[in-house]
Amino acid sequence: MSADRFDGLREEVRRNIPSGIDITSIDLEGPLVVIYTKDFDKFSENSNITKVLATQLKKRFEIRPDPKTLGATDEVEEKIRARIPEEAGVTGMFFDYDTGVVTVEAVNPGSIIGKGGQQLNDMKKETGWNVQAVRSPPIPSKTVKEVRGYIRYARDERAEILKRIGRRIARPTYDNGEQYVRMTALGGFRQVGRSATLLMTKESKILIDCGLDPSSDATPYFSVPEIQPLSDLDAVVITHAHMDHCGLLPALFKYGYDGPVYCTPPTRDLMALLQLDSIKLIYGEGKKIPFDAKNVRDEVLHVIPIGYEKTTDISPDVRLTFYNAGHILGSSIAHFNIGNGFHNVAFTGDTKFEKTWLFNQACNKFIRLESIVVESTYGGRNDMQPSRMDASKEMFDLLKQAADSNGKVLIPVFAVGRSQEVMLVIEELMRSGRLPKMPVYLDGMIWEATAIHTAYPEYLNTSLKTQIFQQNENPFLSPIFKRVETAEMREEICHSPDPCIVLATSGMMTGGPVMEYFKEWCDDPNTWLLFVGYQSENSIGRTIQRGRKDISLNDRGKVINLDIKMNIETVDGFSGHSDRKQLMKYISMLEPKPSKIVVGHGEDRKCVDFASSLYQKYRIETKAPLNLETIRLK
Ligand SMILES: [Zn+2]
Ligand SMILES: [Zn+2]
């Protein structure tokens, strides 16, 4: 959209708004069209106006009160408090002058909103502010608080960034030349790790994921000419917060990227948490650090969070929509509508096509779909996983065996996803009395990651969401869970003779607190090491899982040799990835049927095998490209 086109849009907006509503200005802010009005209450009374605008003009709108109409915060707070009943249990009130939103955080937000939103509307009318009521998070999260606090603190800088992004999305386009769509595999193809794909259209360049390979620290091929200079990129889209999808993103800002990052709100918070943690981990191992905390802050400031199923313009010819991927909190399938329907391609990221203890199954229905880029972590023909039920049964058997002999159990987990599922299973077993109650220690970022889960209940599956809303039934608040907060506490648990269960990171034993317990316990035959997650080919976890009894580790600069007498067990079925059967089913149940499938995110032979099986079964064109290959999608 050129300047003229923006003027045209302004005209159309004014035409679609009933006369008698005073509009002060219409601006672009990132992908949003922001309308400032002196008659904010009229908009809230007639919520239909925004819907009509969105459908008519195919843009995302936000209506804000004209800053001049906003009352002083202390007076407004008094007025709002006077209207809120005691039982609401207000825990905080946050004012945002730029958007005119005041967020009231409460234990019972319903009693603030009132019947049919009447009370909320009255408050809006009285104060001029856009009053919103949200539920207080059951477990306070330091990350959520810090991320929101930082965005508030750096709001002038952020406003500049959003204006610049808005102008860029509305830039003039070349009106001649044919349209095309192609993608270059920059990492994560015929391998698991360092996921990165460049999507190129006639007008735009978009990077999807920007990962690290956690087992080798290899990075995507960012030196290729297609992606240079980084300032040519229109957007980075992150499917989810695992390091193999976002671990290198802060470094992109270090090397000069200055554009938007699109992801879901929980992905933004989890990503910041895991990246900051990785700095600590890498530092502890004495390795070279690819980025620092400042780069992570930069990244956070450039994130434009988008919830599921909210279509958003991200460049002159690309619209992005996120759908649930069922893999971890906030994980998404990124769907791109290119050239106003010229081509539609979806990137599944990592995906689970089964309802889990945490999430609903991945979305398989799209408005349009011609190409899909799909993961194949468990795409090999023998990669069958037990059901969630069988997995918890097996976990019960092993935990029972350990409990009967007063043994200790160590479970290496990713902080995000698997830990929360394993927590839910153990909590259920102990609550029902099938397993004796004993402390379950959470070490590494697990506690904080769990807090972030409870801050975004709308991203969890329906039954868990209900449980969390009922304070007394929130399984994550069970007293069996104990947070390991200091090295001394860890030391004490390591040397205690009492039976316990420890969930610790990192999930593939490439470092982190899990190694402290392992080093201490591995020569004790009355201890158990339980794998529940994916172990990549070169990881230490995979070596131990395969049954090697003597391993040497780098321990703070010196090599130590370990003799493993611990019981090594694997419980399959906890994976956040679809297994072979679920992947095949997912493709067969896609609506509409795509005409091209690109396979990635799997070990070499699994990508190839899955791609050829798909072709044989469904006669759809498939490709399993190598890194550095470019494919024309249309
Ligand atoms: Zn993942
Ligand atoms: Zn992944």
Side-chain angles (χ1 to χ4, degrees), residues 299-347:
E299 164 199 290
V300 164
L301 222 46
H302 285 77
V303 167
I304 298 179
I306 303 176
Y308 292 149
E309 301 184 30
K310 293 198 164 69
T311 302
T312 306
D313 284 326
I314 62 167
S315 83
D317 64 345
V318 179
R319 280 198 187 111
L320 165 69
T321 317
F322 286 130
Y323 294 91
N324 171 37
H327 172 64
I328 62 166
L329 185 73
S331 67
S332 49
I333 298 173
H335 177 281
F336 300 90
N337 174 337
I338 298 158
N340 213 359
F342 172 71
H343 192 73
N344 290 268
V345 54
F347 287 72

Side-chain angles (χ1 to χ4, degrees), residues 186-189 191-197 208-220 222 237-249 271 274-275 278 327-328 349-351 375 377 414 416 508 534 536 577 600-602:
L186 298 175
F189 287 82
Q191 68 178 177
V192 176
R194 59 163 164 173
S195 282
T197 312
I208 296 129
D209 285 338
C210 186
L212 270 180
D213 185 343
S215 57
S216 72
D217 296 328
T219 56
F222 282 152
V237 173
I238 300 293
T239 58
H240 67 286
H242 277 151
M243 293 300 277
D244 61 320
H245 297 259
C246 73
L248 204 69
L249 183 56
M271 189 160 84
L274 297 179
Q275 289 160 345
S278 84
H327 172 64
I328 62 166
D350 293 353
T351 162
E375 67 130 323
T377 319
F414 281 122
V416 175
M508 296 195 282
Y534 179 76
S536 88
H577 297 273
H601 201 290

Side-chain angles (χ1 to χ4, degrees), residues 5 75 180 190 246 322 362 372 406 424 452-453 595 611:
R5 282 164 71 194
E75 282 166 33
Y180 62 81
R190 306 261 195 120
C246 73
F322 286 130
I372 189 161
N406 282 325
L424 290 176
I452 299 177
H453 279 69
S595 49

